[in-house]
Amino acid sequence: MPTIESLRAKIGSVQDLQSVVKTMKALAAVSIRQYQTAVESLADYNRTIEMGLQIVLRQRYFSEQRGILASATDSKLSHNSLGAIIFGSDQGLCGQFNEQIASYAVEKLNDLQPEKMKIAAVGARLILPLEASEKSITEQFFVPSSVTEITAMVQEMLLTIEQWQTQQQVEQIILFYNKSLSGASYRPTNLRLLPVDPNWLKNLEKKAWSTPVLPTFTMNENQLFSALIRQYLFISLYLA
């Protein structure tokens, strides 16, 4: 039979563990709020970028030139080469978070059946489920430990994407991530990052402007368009 002293020791250990768990939950709540604030701010910035694209696309000269863009970004893609960036976590104790997104991504990639594929995994916990599905991981990124570190990682990802395109002739870039719904609920989703969806651009071009007066700009239309698209890519990766 356990002695009174041993029972007291066990009770003390449980109380210490409870204190640690409470502290971890408090720190997690603070981190969650920081990420929520960042996403809210990014939503406003994303709206600004879309408004900029809307104005550029409405210019007659650029609309004529955009025929080249539309032909390069239509849905008739060869799927010869594809780059996938899959977002998971570095930490455990998060249920099926990593397993679900890995399974979802593998299913979608198997449907596409590209001849050549590059996979970047964000989060160490993704490695095992992806390797169990016989998917080779080309690049690995660690999940940022704070909001301030996200920008640097996104910039690193953009460099990786550029290398895939220029050195490996990767035609498509697809993001796979768990989209937050409400509370702790989420669902796996994907976004074709590149080529940019021409239907999205057409919808922006046709969207009604909120005032009778349209803004004007003086810089080259193609340069401005390219700059805005780079910001769109940054925002998409940041949100994922």
Side-chain angles (χ1 to χ4, degrees):
M1 259 184 95
T3 63
I4 293 177
E5 288 75 14
S6 65
L7 289 174
R8 285 175 177 171
K10 289 181 179 180
I11 292 172
S13 298
V14 171
Q15 289 175 338
D16 290 341
L17 180 60
Q18 186 180 33
S19 177
V20 171
V21 170
K22 286 183 177 179
T23 302
M24 292 174 64
K25 288 176 69 176
L27 292 173
V30 172
S31 296
I32 288 172
R33 184 55 196 155
Q34 289 178 344
Y35 288 116
Q36 288 175 337
T37 302
V39 169
E40 290 168 2
S41 300
L42 205 60
D44 293 335
Y45 184 55
N46 183 56
R47 173 60 184 149
T48 302
I49 296 301
E50 288 188 351
M51 291 172 69
L53 284 169
Q54 184 180 353
I55 292 301
V56 175
L57 292 168
R58 289 172 72 102
Q59 297 298 313
R60 180 178 302 176
Y61 169 78
F62 192 73
S63 294
E64 295 172 355
Q65 301 300 315
R66 199 167 53 81
I68 301 174
L69 175 69
S71 63
T73 58
D74 61 20
S75 58
K76 298 177 182 178
L77 296 167
S78 64
H79 303 307
N80 288 332
S81 59
L82 183 149
I85 301 179
I86 308 173
F87 292 81
S89 75
D90 282 332
Q91 313 230 356
L93 301 176
C94 53
Q96 297 296 307
F97 187 87
N98 294 288
E99 288 75 11
Q100 285 185 8
I101 190 61
S103 176
Y104 174 81
V106 168
E107 181 182 353
K108 295 296 184 182
L109 293 173
N110 288 340
D111 289 341
L112 292 173
Q113 295 183 341
E115 295 179 6
K116 182 169 60 177
M117 181 164 54
K118 300 290 182 180
I119 295 179
V122 184
R125 296 280 176 169
L126 276 175
I127 305 300
L128 286 178
L130 287 175
E131 289 182 343
S133 301
E134 300 181 350
K135 296 299 180 185
S136 300
I137 298 171
T138 311
E139 305 285 343
Q140 182 180 351
F141 299 95
F142 294 103
V143 177
S145 59
S146 68
V147 173
T148 57
E149 296 178 6
I150 298 178
T151 297
M153 193 189 75
V154 170
Q155 292 172 341
E156 187 178 352
M157 286 181 175
L158 288 171
L159 289 175
T160 297
I161 290 172
E162 184 178 358
Q163 290 174 354
W164 283 354
Q165 290 184 307
T166 57
Q167 299 176 15
Q168 307 294 328
Q169 286 73 53
V170 172
E171 298 175 354
Q172 286 193 83
I173 304 294
I174 302 179
L175 308 183
F176 296 93
Y177 58 97
N178 285 313
K179 184 176 182 179
S180 176
L181 298 178
S182 61
S185 61
Y186 57 85
R187 64 175 172 82
T189 188
N190 70 84
L191 170 69
R192 194 185 84 181
L193 187 69
L194 289 171
V196 177
D197 185 358
N199 292 323
W200 174 64
L201 294 176
K202 290 177 182 177
N203 290 334
L204 280 179
E205 181 181 7
K206 296 176 181 178
K207 190 175 181 179
W209 192 252
S210 57
T211 67
V213 181
L214 292 175
T216 60
F217 56 90
T218 57
M219 70 181 293
N220 179 270
E221 291 92 344
N222 291 302
Q223 291 179 354
L224 179 56
F225 178 79
S226 296
L228 291 169
I229 288 296
R230 286 195 295 271
Q231 292 303 307
Y232 160 75
L233 299 179
F234 177 89
I235 290 170
S236 299
L237 285 165
Y238 194 109
L239 286 173

